[in-house]
Amino acid sequence: MPTPVVGVLALQGDVVEHVGALERAGARAVEVRTPDDLAAVDALVVPGGESTTVIRLLDRFGLTQPIRDRVRDGMPFWGTCMGLIVAAHDVADLEQPTLDLIDVTVRRNAFGRQVDSAEVPLAIPALGAGPFPAIFIRAPWIERTGPGVEVLAQRDGHGVMVREGNVLGTSFHPELSGDERVHAYFLRMIAAASVFS
Amino acid sequence: MNGDGRQTGTDTVKRGLAQMLKGGVIMDVVTPEQAKIAEEAGAVAVMALERIPADIRADGGVARMSHPALIERIMKAVTVPVMAKVRIGHLGEARQLQSLGVDYIDESEVLTPADDKYHLDKHGYTVPFVCGARDLGEALRRIAEGAAMIRSKGEAGSGNIVEAVRHMRAIRDGIAELSALPREELVARARDLGAPLELVREIAANGKLPVVLFCAGGVSTPADAALMMELGAEGIFVGSGIFKSTNPAAFARAIVDATTHWQNPDVVLKAHSSIPEDAKAMDGLDIRQLADHQLMASRGT
């Protein structure tokens, strides 16, 4: 297949880190700020950032419904930390709107505030044997998963990497780790999706 | 290192939180209600303070860390990260804020310095620090001390962008100059900058700071924010510019929109136009009219 064009939502957050990691993993990466930008990509990554901010900006700049429509039509989607919160069905104990792209409930800042942010060697069988250097920053965990959701990694008994069909979520930041295995995994999801489309 | 191999307080996680704030606006707030207005407008973090810089400037006297109960109330009011300021070199204040669990500490020239020679050794803390800089030498000294994020100093509470522009240009020009120097000149340049050679070599090789760089000091309109992003800021601190305007919610939202879409003048225009015409930006100060002892940016170099 031709090199996929992966959009990185660029309203706020660690956008260039994802762009760099996607390109090292073999994709072409572009920034997405408008519905027109979104229409031109094969897949979308929502990076780390502040979920309360980004959910408002998605609405303000007319991206909420176009993203929902594309993902429901099968566009591969990956959210990291903020991106996972934005993609979740709902947020535990908070009246926070979401895009509802994956049937999980997340709990924000579940591992603590910034002083509890940590680097953790994480077992992710889907990526092979070696532990993944997972970087958790004011990270959420996954408190509930729907029947179609596969938990790909756990920390302290809570899901931190999940997948439901074309939607992937990680509560940590592979884009900061210098290890592109999760980015490569997402590119394989894109390749598989394009075979059937 | 903990039982599960977990490491807290590493450079990666301290610098990492600032990476998550990029492209966003961090707003000074003095009450939980203001914090909620800031969050609603789309702020990525708030700076919890007793007085905003314009009032600190007007009141005079010694400006200290805010009361922990106020900071705690603000932490409970919002879900975005909460930052708070300590006086330069004041480890007693910094240790308190770390125990309180604030997400970032600003070792700030806006407060009255506690130590007129030395900044904190910030490596020894789990909580990350942001520090101000007027030029590349100051920025690199703060990074060497452990700062995980750098901001321009501007002239806080002045409502005047000229100092922030000067500082952003100085930092950017300093980096561009290092990138162009032959390797044998870097030792002498490190001496002139008053910065460690390892950091100077890193900047020369990468053409950028190893930590996130925000603009602070004097931002009071959407166009100010767009200007600073164009000059290389990765995000914006707004101090007095929002809650010293006559319509904080409108200014806050417009500055957020302009920061997000700084590359698109149509959106910046729309953001500015969204502020009612009768709403006034904060009153500004002509910095040339200030006496040397009234300047904050020259504190802690």
Side-chain angles (χ1 to χ4, degrees):
Chain A
M1 81 177 261
T3 309
V5 179
V6 182
V8 181
L9 186 74
L11 297 178
Q12 188 275 311
D14 67 334
V15 177
V16 296
E17 290 80 351
H18 263 298
V19 168
L22 285 164
E23 292 193 332
R24 287 193 298 277
R28 223 188 102 217
V30 298
E31 299 185 359
V32 170
R33 291 188 179 79
T34 65
D36 285 348
D37 295 342
L38 179 69
V41 300
D42 301 313
L44 183 68
V45 173
V46 176
E50 277 307 309
S51 59
T52 26
T53 304
V54 168
I55 201 78
R56 285 180 172 84
L57 294 177
L58 284 169
D59 235 20
R60 239 181 252 176
F61 296 108
L63 281 158
T64 302
Q65 202 52 45
I67 291 175
R68 280 187 181 135
D69 292 345
R70 286 290 311 272
V71 171
R72 275 163 204 172
D73 286 348
M75 177 183 72
F77 175 101
W78 173 23
T80 57
C81 194
M82 172 272 276
L84 165 65
I85 297 167
V86 165
H89 174 70
D90 62 337
V91 182
D93 296 334
L94 282 175
E95 295 286 316
Q96 182 169 334
T98 62
L99 294 177
D100 190 13
L101 306 176
I102 181 167
D103 189 13
V104 299
T105 302
V106 295
R107 180 172 293 282
R108 287 190 55 193
N109 300 333
F111 294 101
R113 295 189 76 99
Q114 172 61 18
V115 287
D116 305 299
S117 290
E119 298 182 54
V120 183
L122 199 66
I124 309 179
L127 300 184
F132 189 85
I135 296 160
F136 291 86
I137 297 175
R138 284 171 45 95
W141 71 38
I142 290 139
E143 196 139 302
R144 179 198 63 82
T145 52
V149 177
E150 186 185 358
V151 178
L152 297 171
Q154 289 193 327
R155 176 183 167 199
D156 301 346
H158 295 276
V160 292
M161 179 170 176
V162 282
R163 178 175 174 185
E164 183 178 29
N166 56 326
V167 179
L168 178 69
T170 54
S171 65
F172 50 95
H173 295 280
E175 73 279 13
L176 299 184
S177 63
D179 182 328
E180 273 89 52
R181 281 182 290 161
V182 183
H183 289 82
Y185 178 90
F186 184 58
L187 296 190
R188 290 197 295 275
M189 279 173 62
I190 299 171
S194 62
V195 167
F196 299 105
S197 65
Chain B
M1 183 85 83
N2 295 277
D4 60 350
R6 169 169 59 103
Q7 289 181 281
T8 55
T10 61
D11 281 349
T12 301
V13 298
K14 288 160 119 179
R15 294 172 178 184
L17 178 55
Q19 288 171 279
M20 301 311 144
L21 303 176
K22 282 194 296 182
V25 181
I26 300 169
M27 302 183 190
D28 281 3
V29 298
V30 300
T31 63
E33 294 69 34
Q34 288 189 355
K36 284 191 174 137
I37 291 171
E39 188 177 56
E40 187 58 39
V44 289
V46 295
M47 177 77 69
L49 286 162
E50 265 167 17
R51 291 177 293 172
I52 55 177
D55 291 332
I56 291 173
R57 185 180 285 289
D59 293 352
V62 174
R64 311 180 179 93
M65 182 192 113
S66 300
H67 196 289
L70 170 71
I71 299 169
E72 210 169 5
R73 281 204 306 281
I74 290 171
M75 286 164 66
K76 285 193 177 126
V78 292
T79 60
V80 295
V82 175
M83 303 184 166
K85 289 185 194 287
V86 300
R87 286 179 265 177
I88 289 171
H90 205 313
L91 59 87
E93 290 184 345
R95 285 175 182 165
Q96 269 192 57
L97 287 187
Q98 173 161 285
S99 293
L100 188 61
V102 300
D103 296 299
Y104 242 91
I105 295 178
D106 185 359
E107 187 183 20
S108 176
E109 71 284 358
V110 170
L111 303 185
T112 310
D115 190 321
D116 62 0
K117 280 212 174 89
Y118 303 109
H119 283 69
L120 293 166
D121 171 27
K122 295 165 275 285
H123 293 290
Y125 293 78
T126 310
V127 64
F129 283 77
V130 54
C131 287
R134 294 179 303 177
D135 53 37
L136 184 61
E138 272 188 47
L140 296 186
R141 286 192 292 280
R142 298 297 86 78
I143 294 166
E145 293 156 1
M149 179 181 189
I150 294 293
R151 55 171 174 77
S152 62
K153 284 179 167 172
E155 188 57 39
S158 71
N160 190 332
I161 199 68
V162 65
E163 290 300 307
V165 168
R166 195 198 311 273
H167 302 165
M168 261 348 258
R169 283 197 185 277
I171 293 168
R172 196 176 71 165
D173 293 352
I175 293 170
E177 190 213 342
L178 281 188
S179 306
L181 283 182
R183 192 174 157 82
E184 67 272 17
E185 293 183 21
L186 292 177
V187 174
R189 193 70 193 108
R191 177 199 63 206
D192 298 343
L193 284 167
L197 178 61
E198 292 67 33
L199 265 177
V200 167
R201 284 191 173 141
E202 190 183 338
I203 308 296
N206 299 337
K208 63 188 288 290
L209 294 181
V211 303
V212 167
L213 173 65
F214 266 47
C215 161
V219 174
S220 37
T221 68
D224 286 347
L227 166 64
M228 298 316 300
M229 295 296 283
E230 181 77 45
L231 290 178
E234 294 177 288
I236 305 285
F237 281 91
V238 190
S240 318
I242 289 169
F243 290 99
K244 277 288 167 189
S245 75
T246 62
N247 189 337
F251 272 89
R253 182 179 157 144
I255 290 172
V256 167
D257 287 0
T259 303
T260 302
H261 287 282
W262 62 273
Q263 290 152 306
N264 185 339
D266 293 337
V267 179
V268 179
L269 170 67
K270 212 171 139 196
H272 201 159
S273 304
S274 75
I275 301 171
E277 207 179 333
D278 58 356
K280 274 191 62 194
M282 71 175 288
D283 289 332
L285 297 171
D286 184 344
I287 288 154
R288 290 168 305 179
Q289 307 291 321
L290 297 175
D292 282 351
H293 73 274
Q294 293 174 301
L295 295 173
M296 292 172 171
S298 49
R299 294 167 169 176
T301 56

